[in-house]
Amino acid sequence: MTDFPDRLLAGYRNFMNGRYSDESDRYRALAETGQKPHTLVIACCDSRSAPETIFDCGPGELFVVRNVANMVPPYEPDSQFHATSAALEYAVQVLKIRNIVVMGHGRCGGIQAALDPSTEPLSPGDFIGRWMSLVRPAAEQIQNNAFMTPAERQTALERVSIRNSIANLQTFPFVKNRGEEGGLSIHGAWFDISTGELWVMNSKGDFVRPDLDEPPIEAEQASA
Amino acid sequence: MTDFPDRLLAGYRNFMNGRYSDESDRYRALAETGQKPHTLVIACCDSRSAPETIFDCGPGELFVVRNVANMVPPYEPDSQFHATSAALEYAVQVLKIRNIVVMGHGRCGGIQAALDPSTEPLSPGDFIGRWMSLVRPAAEQIQNNAFMTPAERQTALERVSIRNSIANLQTFPFVKNRGEEGGLSIHGAWFDISTGELWVMNSKGDFVRPDLDEPPIEAEQASA
Amino acid sequence: MTDFPDRLLAGYRNFMNGRYSDESDRYRALAETGQKPHTLVIACCDSRSAPETIFDCGPGELFVVRNVANMVPPYEPDSQFHATSAALEYAVQVLKIRNIVVMGHGRCGGIQAALDPSTEPLSPGDFIGRWMSLVRPAAEQIQNNAFMTPAERQTALERVSIRNSIANLQTFPFVKNRGEEGGLSIHGAWFDISTGELWVMNSKGDFVRPDLDEPPIEAEQASA
Amino acid sequence: MTDFPDRLLAGYRNFMNGRYSDESDRYRALAETGQKPHTLVIACCDSRSAPETIFDCGPGELFVVRNVANMVPPYEPDSQFHATSAALEYAVQVLKIRNIVVMGHGRCGGIQAALDPSTEPLSPGDFIGRWMSLVRPAAEQIQNNAFMTPAERQTALERVSIRNSIANLQTFPFVKNRGEEGGLSIHGAWFDISTGELWVMNSKGDFVRPDLDEPPIEAEQASA
């Protein structure tokens, strides 16, 4: 147990002198009244794809699950510890969030690992190998496609995986119920780290550039 | 499948016109060379405790796992899907992160649920109930202490749970090995949403206010 | 009976040349008209927690009881000598003080003794053991909590004890009556010796940092 | 339970911006290493006679008991709660203080009450009446002395009471033992609120003005 990293303390000082200082009333109110986030984001752990940064969201807006490759496993009501399913249950049943966004991104290390059948387990426990087996069937088809470049196979599986997670979301009875009642909408998004482009999934499952032509609105005044 | 939330598109426009515009070179370089985050943060899904905000970190710095109540389960090399263990394995074995921070926060809904023995399952799957059973033994001792206020019991369990997760981290052979080689340090932190105060864990396991008296340094220039 | 300690005589000279010299009119007036303190403070004997220092109060402001661990025993109208109850009676019935503050502090030796069941009596009379038995029930619950660190158990009992003393205050009929008439308010406070932080008790019994954001006012001109 | 008194919060701000700011290293060291006060002062609750003020002592120097009329009851090893005896035991046996000062003062309300046989109990519990009965025998002789003025009778009993407390101190075996070993000296002092004069007890039990002619020394450098 060593001293707390200097870099993080320096960043914390910036936060206190900057953002917290500007928004202390908001933080206090959020502490008093509790959080009421409008959206659950299931994002990747990747250090380049923080949802609060990409969506420029303030405290209280996004309830965020982050795991490797932003995946949702299928509904499995057994006696295990399910980190992602537990967060999903809490977000839908307690917080009554109105949107779920599964947000993937380019150059995802987890997806890359899933596409490489020669990868040795990273440790005897092979946690990544097992975790990424959630997209094994799709990965097997894509990895054998000799006509696509490696980058194309990677992007393809990143997007297939988002649709796979959305399909798994629908296997949770409480998600299905809330969706049918009209109080919950589910979305896919894919972020290009290099260009900063956001692609969103349309009703056919395709990823398209959203129309950003509307006059800019103030984030604070925007309705969710 | 409905239209992508306006609020998120508006925030994304802010990102593109602001942060991305200022840091596009950094994003491009991070895309080319891959991420080399210095720190793995295990944080809560709570919408009020985004690590990138609190530590004022930019893209590429923090590899972030977020689950309910920022917990690490013990090492269980079985055939299940382990979201948190997989991320831990990837961060330590592939990314060679140098710090792990388990960051809890005040008024955590998951911890609150763990302290309330009368809580009904949120759904037939009872995912939150099972997930929070990771801190059941400590919760049982604390919930029966009639002399502490509800808020005191909550803070106590939030901190006990951070120590519990750190103890669980040590059960992973690859974490233990890297720690013994000196290349990995493990830290606890607790964020007070209302006051913005950060408390860090000292070598005794107690949470104390870090010394922030040093002259402010530029976050970007700070070494990790 | 030896010579009076040099250190105290040197300090007394400082007082006469400094504070008394500046405030001699006030001392003379206080001698003539008698004291009218606004607040009774029940504080610990600890050498690091003098109420006049921490609240920067001048002569005539605070009527101060100091005993080990700043405790108030319950109302016991028997024939014994009750140092604390006598002071309380005098403060409320004669001086008509308007506030009572029970002020605890961190690292309290009395509380530490209460938490250590193996402590031998300090003398055959076991005065500390008996005195600290005022918090025995709470101490027993807390000392058996194996998940909290020693420092956390200590802070917890320090705060429980303040609430316990406040509950005991309410068992005195004259305190209860004055409180119901609206002329007396009761407060808890806890002082962190290391950081200098003062925490005050809110209406739920929790200890929180008071809002100190108001523009500084002159202590001498401040209304009580 | 109302808001914490403004006057005290304003004073606390002064402390933090002034004394604590100047002496934060000392407070931190005292927190780390524990207190080692050189002197136990048994003083009155009176708002005009704070020992830290009169002896210009900083944090860590004085372990202070304050009760009405700065009294020490005789040694009574029974099962009662003894606030003063407990503090005495802790100061001598744990802190190994080197000096005990029983400090009285002029115009003491408790002594005044002891001299007035017509006083009604302040409450049905009559705590002050019982507490002041510690000096009843002396009070009875003095109150009937028709040749002394009321002010003379008051001063006389204030000083008799200090000697009485010192005699009671000697009934505690651990005080007697430490005194005989040479590690503990006992003193009496009497403070005149109006003039600021300090009178100390000499070896005959008389109260005299101490010789203050020595060149002033810096309090911080003074040895105890």
Side-chain angles (χ1 to χ4, degrees):
Chain A
M1 207 66 57
T2 65
D3 284 342
F4 205 78
D6 286 344
R7 169 64 190 95
L8 300 185
L9 289 183
Y12 171 65
R13 277 197 297 269
N14 287 350
F15 165 71
M16 280 307 278
N17 295 329
R19 182 147 201 171
Y20 181 80
S21 177
D22 295 341
E23 298 193 275
S24 58
D25 287 351
R26 187 171 178 178
Y27 276 97
R28 282 187 197 134
L30 281 167
E32 284 306 309
T33 61
Q35 61 176 333
K36 287 205 174 32
H38 46 75
T39 299
L40 162 65
V41 181
I42 297 154
C44 185
C45 300
D46 194 287
S47 62
R48 302 162 296 182
S49 67
E52 289 86 355
T53 303
I54 294 167
F55 294 124
D56 191 36
C57 279
E61 294 199 85
L62 305 180
F63 191 78
V64 178
V65 173
R66 291 178 74 176
N67 58 41
V68 171
N70 43 277
M71 292 198 296
V72 179
Y75 179 63
E76 287 184 5
D78 54 26
S79 62
Q80 302 295 316
F81 306 132
H82 291 286
T84 305
S85 304
L88 178 62
E89 187 186 68
Y90 191 80
V92 173
Q93 299 293 82
V94 175
L95 298 176
K96 314 285 185 198
I97 48 93
R98 300 194 295 278
N99 311 295
I100 300 178
V101 175
V102 178
M103 184 174 86
H105 66 96
R107 299 164 199 253
C108 177
I111 294 293
Q112 191 172 25
L115 280 169
D116 184 354
S118 70
T119 309
E120 289 289 301
L122 295 175
S123 80
D126 192 22
F127 294 104
I128 277 288
R130 285 174 179 149
W131 176 247
M132 293 314 302
S133 73
L134 281 165
V135 289
R136 177 65 60 213
E140 275 167 9
Q141 282 215 357
I142 293 173
Q143 79 198 20
N144 294 324
N145 187 321
F147 297 95
M148 296 169 80
T149 68
E152 283 171 350
R153 288 197 289 267
Q154 167 102 11
T155 302
L157 186 56
E158 285 162 1
R159 294 178 174 186
V160 166
S161 176
I162 292 168
R163 286 193 295 271
N164 190 46
S165 285
I166 288 175
N168 285 342
L169 276 176
Q170 310 279 10
T171 64
F172 287 77
F174 52 85
V175 172
K176 195 154 168 286
N177 292 347
R178 277 284 307 285
E180 288 168 358
E181 292 164 7
L184 179 64
S185 61
I186 298 179
H187 307 275
W190 181 90
F191 177 69
D192 184 324
I193 288 168
S194 180
T195 63
E197 285 182 353
L198 185 77
W199 298 64
V200 301
M201 202 176 87
N202 69 12
S203 60
K204 297 175 187 166
D206 287 316
F207 284 79
V208 298
R209 296 279 292 139
D211 186 359
L212 296 170
D213 286 349
E214 302 100 80
I217 54 175
E218 285 300 309
E220 291 301 310
Q221 298 170 354
S223 65
Chain B
M1 207 64 60
T2 65
D3 285 344
F4 205 77
D6 287 343
R7 170 67 191 92
L8 299 185
L9 290 181
Y12 171 66
R13 276 196 301 269
N14 287 350
F15 165 72
M16 282 306 280
N17 295 329
R19 184 148 200 172
Y20 182 80
S21 175
D22 296 340
E23 298 192 275
S24 56
D25 288 351
R26 187 172 179 180
Y27 276 97
R28 282 187 198 126
L30 280 167
E32 285 308 309
T33 61
Q35 61 177 333
K36 286 203 174 32
H38 46 77
T39 298
L40 162 64
V41 182
I42 296 154
C44 185
C45 300
D46 194 289
S47 62
R48 303 161 295 183
S49 68
E52 290 86 355
T53 303
I54 293 166
F55 294 123
D56 192 36
C57 279
E61 294 198 84
L62 305 180
F63 191 77
V64 178
V65 173
R66 292 179 71 175
N67 59 41
V68 171
N70 45 274
M71 293 198 295
V72 179
Y75 180 63
E76 288 185 3
D78 54 26
S79 62
Q80 302 295 316
F81 306 132
H82 291 286
T84 304
S85 304
L88 178 62
E89 189 186 65
Y90 190 80
V92 173
Q93 299 294 78
V94 174
L95 299 175
K96 314 284 185 198
I97 49 93
R98 300 194 296 277
N99 311 293
I100 301 178
V101 175
V102 178
M103 183 174 88
H105 67 95
R107 299 165 199 251
C108 177
I111 294 291
Q112 191 172 25
L115 280 169
D116 185 354
S118 70
T119 309
E120 291 288 302
L122 294 175
S123 80
D126 192 21
F127 293 104
I128 277 287
R130 284 171 179 149
W131 177 248
M132 294 312 303
S133 73
L134 281 166
V135 289
R136 177 67 60 218
E140 273 166 13
Q141 279 217 355
I142 292 172
Q143 80 198 19
N144 292 325
N145 189 318
F147 295 97
M148 296 169 78
T149 67
E152 285 173 348
R153 289 194 290 264
Q154 167 103 13
T155 301
L157 188 56
E158 285 161 1
R159 293 176 173 190
V160 166
S161 176
I162 292 169
R163 287 193 295 268
N164 190 47
S165 285
I166 287 175
N168 285 342
L169 277 176
Q170 311 277 11
T171 64
F172 286 78
F174 54 84
V175 171
K176 195 154 168 287
N177 292 346
R178 277 283 307 288
E180 286 168 0
E181 293 164 6
L184 180 63
S185 62
I186 298 179
H187 306 275
W190 181 90
F191 177 68
D192 184 323
I193 289 170
S194 180
T195 61
E197 285 182 352
L198 184 77
W199 298 66
V200 302
M201 202 176 89
N202 68 13
S203 60
K204 296 176 186 165
D206 289 312
F207 286 78
V208 298
R209 297 276 294 135
D211 188 358
L212 297 170
D213 285 348
E214 303 100 81
I217 54 176
E218 285 300 310
E220 292 301 312
Q221 299 170 352
S223 68
Chain C
M1 206 65 59
T2 65
D3 284 345
F4 205 77
D6 286 344
R7 170 66 190 93
L8 300 185
L9 289 182
Y12 171 65
R13 276 197 299 270
N14 287 350
F15 165 71
M16 281 307 281
N17 295 328
R19 184 148 201 170
Y20 182 80
S21 175
D22 295 340
E23 298 193 275
S24 56
D25 288 351
R26 187 172 177 179
Y27 276 97
R28 283 189 197 124
L30 281 167
E32 285 308 310
T33 61
Q35 62 176 332
K36 288 204 174 33
H38 46 77
T39 299
L40 162 64
V41 181
I42 297 153
C44 185
C45 300
D46 194 288
S47 62
R48 302 162 295 182
S49 68
E52 289 87 354
T53 303
I54 293 167
F55 293 123
D56 191 35
C57 278
E61 294 199 85
L62 305 180
F63 191 77
V64 178
V65 173
R66 291 178 72 175
N67 59 40
V68 171
N70 43 277
M71 292 199 294
V72 179
Y75 179 64
E76 289 185 3
D78 54 26
S79 61
Q80 303 294 317
F81 305 132
H82 291 286
T84 306
S85 304
L88 178 62
E89 188 187 66
Y90 190 80
V92 173
Q93 298 293 81
V94 175
L95 298 175
K96 313 285 185 198
I97 49 94
R98 300 195 294 279
N99 311 294
I100 301 178
V101 175
V102 178
M103 183 174 86
H105 66 95
R107 299 164 199 252
C108 178
I111 294 292
Q112 191 172 25
L115 280 169
D116 185 355
S118 70
T119 309
E120 291 287 302
L122 294 175
S123 80
D126 192 21
F127 293 104
I128 278 287
R130 285 173 180 151
W131 176 247
M132 293 314 302
S133 73
L134 281 165
V135 289
R136 177 67 59 215
E140 273 166 12
Q141 281 218 354
I142 292 172
Q143 80 198 18
N144 292 326
N145 189 320
F147 296 96
M148 296 169 78
T149 67
E152 285 173 348
R153 289 195 289 265
Q154 168 103 12
T155 301
L157 188 57
E158 285 162 0
R159 293 177 173 187
V160 166
S161 177
I162 292 169
R163 288 194 294 268
N164 191 46
S165 286
I166 288 175
N168 284 342
L169 276 176
Q170 311 277 10
T171 64
F172 287 77
F174 53 85
V175 172
K176 196 154 169 287
N177 292 347
R178 277 284 306 286
E180 287 168 358
E181 291 164 6
L184 180 64
S185 62
I186 298 179
H187 307 276
W190 181 89
F191 177 68
D192 184 324
I193 289 170
S194 180
T195 62
E197 285 183 352
L198 184 78
W199 297 67
V200 301
M201 202 176 88
N202 68 13
S203 59
K204 296 175 186 166
D206 289 312
F207 286 79
V208 298
R209 298 276 292 134
D211 188 359
L212 296 171
D213 285 349
E214 302 100 79
I217 55 175
E218 285 301 309
E220 293 300 313
Q221 299 170 352
S223 65
Chain D
M1 207 64 61
T2 66
D3 284 343
F4 206 77
D6 287 343
R7 169 65 190 93
L8 300 185
L9 289 182
Y12 170 66
R13 276 196 299 269
N14 287 350
F15 164 72
M16 280 307 279
N17 295 328
R19 182 147 202 173
Y20 181 81
S21 176
D22 295 341
E23 297 193 276
S24 58
D25 286 352
R26 187 172 180 179
Y27 275 97
R28 281 186 198 136
L30 281 167
E32 285 306 310
T33 61
Q35 61 175 334
K36 287 203 175 29
H38 46 74
T39 299
L40 162 65
V41 182
I42 297 154
C44 184
C45 299
D46 193 289
S47 63
R48 302 163 296 182
S49 67
E52 289 86 356
T53 303
I54 293 167
F55 294 123
D56 190 37
C57 279
E61 294 199 84
L62 306 180
F63 191 77
V64 178
V65 174
R66 292 179 71 176
N67 58 40
V68 171
N70 45 274
M71 292 198 295
V72 179
Y75 180 64
E76 287 185 5
D78 55 26
S79 63
Q80 302 295 316
F81 305 132
H82 291 286
T84 304
S85 304
L88 179 62
E89 187 186 67
Y90 190 81
V92 173
Q93 299 292 80
V94 174
L95 299 175
K96 314 284 186 199
I97 48 94
R98 300 194 296 278
N99 312 294
I100 301 178
V101 175
V102 178
M103 184 174 86
H105 66 95
R107 300 164 199 252
C108 177
I111 295 292
Q112 190 172 25
L115 280 169
D116 185 354
S118 71
T119 310
E120 289 288 302
L122 294 175
S123 80
D126 192 21
F127 294 104
I128 277 287
R130 285 174 179 148
W131 176 247
M132 293 314 303
S133 73
L134 281 165
V135 289
R136 178 64 61 216
E140 274 167 10
Q141 281 216 356
I142 293 173
Q143 80 198 19
N144 293 326
N145 188 320
F147 296 96
M148 296 169 79
T149 67
E152 283 170 349
R153 288 197 289 268
Q154 167 102 12
T155 302
L157 187 56
E158 285 162 0
R159 293 176 174 188
V160 166
S161 175
I162 292 169
R163 286 192 296 269
N164 189 48
S165 285
I166 288 175
N168 284 342
L169 277 176
Q170 311 278 11
T171 64
F172 286 77
F174 53 84
V175 172
K176 194 153 168 287
N177 292 346
R178 276 284 306 287
E180 287 168 359
E181 292 163 6
L184 181 63
S185 62
I186 299 179
H187 307 275
W190 181 90
F191 176 68
D192 183 323
I193 288 168
S194 179
T195 62
E197 286 182 352
L198 184 78
W199 297 65
V200 301
M201 201 175 86
N202 68 14
S203 61
K204 297 177 187 164
D206 287 316
F207 284 79
V208 298
R209 296 279 291 140
D211 187 357
L212 296 170
D213 286 349
E214 300 101 81
I217 55 175
E218 286 299 309
E220 290 300 311
Q221 299 170 353
S223 66

CSV table of all heavy atoms in Angstrom, one decimal, chain C residues 73-102:
chain,number,residue,atom,x,y,z
C,73,PRO,N,-23.8,12.1,32.5
C,73,PRO,CA,-24.5,11.0,33.0
C,73,PRO,C,-26.0,11.2,33.0
C,73,PRO,O,-26.5,12.3,32.9
C,73,PRO,CB,-24.0,10.8,34.5
C,73,PRO,CG,-23.2,12.1,34.8
C,73,PRO,CD,-23.2,13.0,33.6
C,74,PRO,N,-26.8,10.1,33.2
C,74,PRO,CA,-28.2,10.3,33.2
C,74,PRO,C,-28.6,11.0,34.5
C,74,PRO,O,-27.9,11.1,35.5
C,74,PRO,CB,-28.8,8.9,33.2
C,74,PRO,CG,-27.7,8.0,33.6
C,74,PRO,CD,-26.4,8.7,33.3
C,75,TYR,N,-29.8,11.5,34.6
C,75,TYR,CA,-30.4,12.2,35.8
C,75,TYR,C,-30.5,11.2,36.9
C,75,TYR,O,-31.2,10.2,36.8
C,75,TYR,CB,-31.8,12.7,35.4
C,75,TYR,CG,-32.6,13.4,36.4
C,75,TYR,CD1,-32.1,14.6,37.0
C,75,TYR,CD2,-33.8,12.9,36.9
C,75,TYR,CE1,-32.9,15.3,38.0
C,75,TYR,CE2,-34.5,13.5,37.9
C,75,TYR,CZ,-34.1,14.7,38.4
C,75,TYR,OH,-34.8,15.4,39.4
C,76,GLU,N,-29.8,11.5,38.0
C,76,GLU,CA,-29.9,10.6,39.2
C,76,GLU,C,-30.0,11.4,40.4
C,76,GLU,O,-29.0,11.8,41.1
C,76,GLU,CB,-28.6,9.7,39.2
C,76,GLU,CG,-28.6,8.7,38.2
C,76,GLU,CD,-27.4,7.7,38.4
C,76,GLU,OE1,-26.6,7.9,39.4
C,76,GLU,OE2,-27.2,6.9,37.5
C,77,PRO,N,-31.2,11.8,40.8
C,77,PRO,CA,-31.3,12.7,42.0
C,77,PRO,C,-31.1,11.9,43.3
C,77,PRO,O,-32.1,11.7,44.0
C,77,PRO,CB,-32.8,13.2,41.8
C,77,PRO,CG,-33.5,12.1,41.1
C,77,PRO,CD,-32.4,11.4,40.2
C,78,ASP,N,-29.9,11.5,43.6
C,78,ASP,CA,-29.6,10.8,44.8
C,78,ASP,C,-28.8,11.7,45.7
C,78,ASP,O,-28.7,12.9,45.5
C,78,ASP,CB,-28.9,9.5,44.5
C,78,ASP,CG,-27.7,9.7,43.7
C,78,ASP,OD1,-27.1,10.8,43.7
C,78,ASP,OD2,-27.3,8.8,43.0
C,79,SER,N,-28.1,11.2,46.7
C,79,SER,CA,-27.3,12.0,47.6
C,79,SER,C,-25.9,12.1,47.2
C,79,SER,O,-25.1,12.6,48.0
C,79,SER,CB,-27.5,11.5,49.0
C,79,SER,OG,-27.0,10.1,49.0
C,80,GLN,N,-25.5,11.6,46.1
C,80,GLN,CA,-24.1,11.6,45.7
C,80,GLN,C,-23.6,13.0,45.2
C,80,GLN,O,-24.4,13.9,45.0
C,80,GLN,CB,-23.8,10.6,44.6
C,80,GLN,CG,-24.2,9.2,44.9
C,80,GLN,CD,-23.4,8.6,46.0
C,80,GLN,OE1,-22.2,8.8,46.1
C,80,GLN,NE2,-24.0,8.0,47.0
C,81,PHE,N,-22.3,13.1,45.1
C,81,PHE,CA,-21.7,14.3,44.5
C,81,PHE,C,-21.7,14.1,42.9
C,81,PHE,O,-21.1,13.2,42.4
C,81,PHE,CB,-20.2,14.5,44.9
C,81,PHE,CG,-20.1,14.6,46.4
C,81,PHE,CD1,-19.1,13.8,47.0
C,81,PHE,CD2,-20.9,15.4,47.2
C,81,PHE,CE1,-18.9,13.8,48.4
C,81,PHE,CE2,-20.7,15.4,48.5
C,81,PHE,CZ,-19.7,14.6,49.2
C,82,HIS,N,-22.4,15.0,42.2
C,82,HIS,CA,-22.5,14.9,40.8
C,82,HIS,C,-21.9,16.1,40.1
C,82,HIS,O,-22.6,17.1,40.0
C,82,HIS,CB,-23.9,14.7,40.3
C,82,HIS,CG,-24.5,13.4,40.7
C,82,HIS,ND1,-24.2,12.2,40.1
C,82,HIS,CD2,-25.4,13.0,41.6
C,82,HIS,CE1,-24.9,11.2,40.6
C,82,HIS,NE2,-25.6,11.7,41.5
C,83,ALA,N,-20.6,16.0,39.8
C,83,ALA,CA,-19.9,17.2,39.2
C,83,ALA,C,-20.6,17.7,38.0
C,83,ALA,O,-20.9,18.9,37.9
C,83,ALA,CB,-18.4,16.9,38.9
C,84,THR,N,-20.9,16.9,37.0
C,84,THR,CA,-21.4,17.3,35.8
C,84,THR,C,-22.9,17.8,35.9
C,84,THR,O,-23.2,18.8,35.4
C,84,THR,CB,-21.3,16.2,34.7
C,84,THR,OG1,-19.9,15.7,34.7
C,84,THR,CG2,-21.8,16.6,33.4
C,85,SER,N,-23.7,17.0,36.7
C,85,SER,CA,-25.1,17.4,36.9
C,85,SER,C,-25.2,18.7,37.6
C,85,SER,O,-26.0,19.6,37.3
C,85,SER,CB,-25.8,16.3,37.6
C,85,SER,OG,-25.7,15.1,37.0
C,86,ALA,N,-24.3,19.0,38.5
C,86,ALA,CA,-24.3,20.2,39.3
C,86,ALA,C,-24.0,21.4,38.4
C,86,ALA,O,-24.6,22.4,38.4
C,86,ALA,CB,-23.3,20.2,40.4
C,87,ALA,N,-23.0,21.2,37.5
C,87,ALA,CA,-22.6,22.3,36.6
C,87,ALA,C,-23.8,22.6,35.6
C,87,ALA,O,-24.1,23.7,35.3
C,87,ALA,CB,-21.4,21.9,35.8
C,88,LEU,N,-24.4,21.5,35.2
C,88,LEU,CA,-25.6,21.6,34.3
C,88,LEU,C,-26.7,22.4,34.9
C,88,LEU,O,-27.3,23.3,34.3
C,88,LEU,CB,-26.0,20.2,33.9
C,88,LEU,CG,-27.2,20.0,32.9
C,88,LEU,CD1,-26.9,20.7,31.6
C,88,LEU,CD2,-27.5,18.6,32.8
C,89,GLU,N,-27.0,22.0,36.2
C,89,GLU,CA,-28.0,22.7,36.9
C,89,GLU,C,-27.8,24.2,37.1
C,89,GLU,O,-28.6,25.0,36.8
C,89,GLU,CB,-28.2,22.0,38.3
C,89,GLU,CG,-29.4,22.5,39.1
C,89,GLU,CD,-29.3,21.9,40.5
C,89,GLU,OE1,-28.4,22.3,41.3
C,89,GLU,OE2,-30.2,21.1,40.8
C,90,TYR,N,-26.5,24.5,37.4
C,90,TYR,CA,-26.2,25.9,37.6
C,90,TYR,C,-26.2,26.7,36.3
C,90,TYR,O,-26.8,27.8,36.2
C,90,TYR,CB,-24.7,26.0,38.2
C,90,TYR,CG,-24.4,27.4,38.6
C,90,TYR,CD1,-24.8,27.8,39.9
C,90,TYR,CD2,-23.6,28.2,37.8
C,90,TYR,CE1,-24.4,29.1,40.3
C,90,TYR,CE2,-23.2,29.4,38.2
C,90,TYR,CZ,-23.6,29.9,39.5
C,90,TYR,OH,-23.3,31.2,39.9
C,91,ALA,N,-25.8,26.1,35.2
C,91,ALA,CA,-25.8,26.7,33.9
C,91,ALA,C,-27.2,27.0,33.4
C,91,ALA,O,-27.5,28.1,32.9
C,91,ALA,CB,-25.0,25.9,32.9
C,92,VAL,N,-28.1,26.0,33.6
C,92,VAL,CA,-29.4,26.2,33.1
C,92,VAL,C,-30.3,27.0,34.0
C,92,VAL,O,-31.0,27.9,33.6
C,92,VAL,CB,-30.1,24.8,32.8
C,92,VAL,CG1,-31.5,25.0,32.4
C,92,VAL,CG2,-29.3,24.1,31.7
C,93,GLN,N,-30.2,26.8,35.3
C,93,GLN,CA,-31.1,27.4,36.2
C,93,GLN,C,-30.7,28.8,36.7
C,93,GLN,O,-31.5,29.7,36.9
C,93,GLN,CB,-31.3,26.5,37.5
C,93,GLN,CG,-31.9,25.1,37.2
C,93,GLN,CD,-33.3,25.2,36.7
C,93,GLN,OE1,-33.6,25.5,35.5
C,93,GLN,NE2,-34.3,24.9,37.6
C,94,VAL,N,-29.4,29.0,36.8
C,94,VAL,CA,-28.9,30.3,37.3
C,94,VAL,C,-28.5,31.2,36.1
C,94,VAL,O,-28.9,32.3,36.0
C,94,VAL,CB,-27.8,30.1,38.3
C,94,VAL,CG1,-27.2,31.5,38.7
C,94,VAL,CG2,-28.3,29.4,39.6
C,95,LEU,N,-27.6,30.6,35.3
C,95,LEU,CA,-27.0,31.4,34.2
C,95,LEU,C,-28.0,31.6,33.0
C,95,LEU,O,-27.8,32.4,32.2
C,95,LEU,CB,-25.7,30.9,33.8
C,95,LEU,CG,-24.6,30.8,34.9
C,95,LEU,CD1,-23.4,30.1,34.4
C,95,LEU,CD2,-24.3,32.2,35.4
C,96,LYS,N,-29.0,30.7,32.9
C,96,LYS,CA,-29.9,30.7,31.8
C,96,LYS,C,-29.2,30.7,30.5
C,96,LYS,O,-29.5,31.5,29.6
C,96,LYS,CB,-30.8,32.0,31.9
C,96,LYS,CG,-31.4,32.3,33.2
C,96,LYS,CD,-32.5,31.4,33.6
C,96,LYS,CE,-33.2,31.8,34.9
C,96,LYS,NZ,-34.0,30.8,35.4
C,97,ILE,N,-28.2,29.8,30.4
C,97,ILE,CA,-27.5,29.7,29.1
C,97,ILE,C,-28.5,29.3,28.0
C,97,ILE,O,-29.5,28.7,28.3
C,97,ILE,CB,-26.3,28.7,29.2
C,97,ILE,CG1,-26.7,27.4,29.8
C,97,ILE,CG2,-25.1,29.3,30.0
C,97,ILE,CD1,-27.2,26.4,28.9
C,98,ARG,N,-28.2,29.7,26.8
C,98,ARG,CA,-29.1,29.5,25.7
C,98,ARG,C,-28.8,28.3,24.8
C,98,ARG,O,-29.6,27.8,24.1
C,98,ARG,CB,-29.2,30.8,24.8
C,98,ARG,CG,-29.6,32.0,25.6
C,98,ARG,CD,-30.0,33.1,24.6
C,98,ARG,NE,-28.9,33.6,23.9
C,98,ARG,CZ,-28.0,34.5,24.3
C,98,ARG,NH1,-28.1,35.0,25.5
C,98,ARG,NH2,-27.0,34.9,23.5
C,99,ASN,N,-27.5,27.9,24.9
C,99,ASN,CA,-27.0,26.7,24.1
C,99,ASN,C,-26.3,25.8,25.0
C,99,ASN,O,-25.5,26.2,25.9
C,99,ASN,CB,-26.1,27.2,23.0
C,99,ASN,CG,-26.6,28.3,22.2
C,99,ASN,OD1,-27.6,28.2,21.5
C,99,ASN,ND2,-26.0,29.5,22.3
C,100,ILE,N,-26.4,24.5,24.7
C,100,ILE,CA,-25.5,23.5,25.3
C,100,ILE,C,-24.9,22.8,24.1
C,100,ILE,O,-25.5,22.3,23.2
C,100,ILE,CB,-26.3,22.5,26.1
C,100,ILE,CG1,-27.0,23.1,27.3
C,100,ILE,CG2,-25.3,21.4,26.7
C,100,ILE,CD1,-27.9,22.2,28.1
C,101,VAL,N,-23.5,22.7,24.2
C,101,VAL,CA,-22.8,22.0,23.1
C,101,VAL,C,-22.0,20.9,23.8
C,101,VAL,O,-21.2,21.1,24.7
C,101,VAL,CB,-21.8,22.9,22.4
C,101,VAL,CG1,-20.9,22.1,21.4
C,101,VAL,CG2,-22.5,24.1,21.7
C,102,VAL,N,-22.3,19.6,23.4
C,102,VAL,CA,-21.5,18.5,23.8
C,102,VAL,C,-20.4,18.3,22.8
C,102,VAL,O,-20.7,18.0,21.6
C,102,VAL,CB,-22.3,17.2,24.0
C,102,VAL,CG1,-21.4,16.1,24.4
C,102,VAL,CG2,-23.4,17.4,25.0
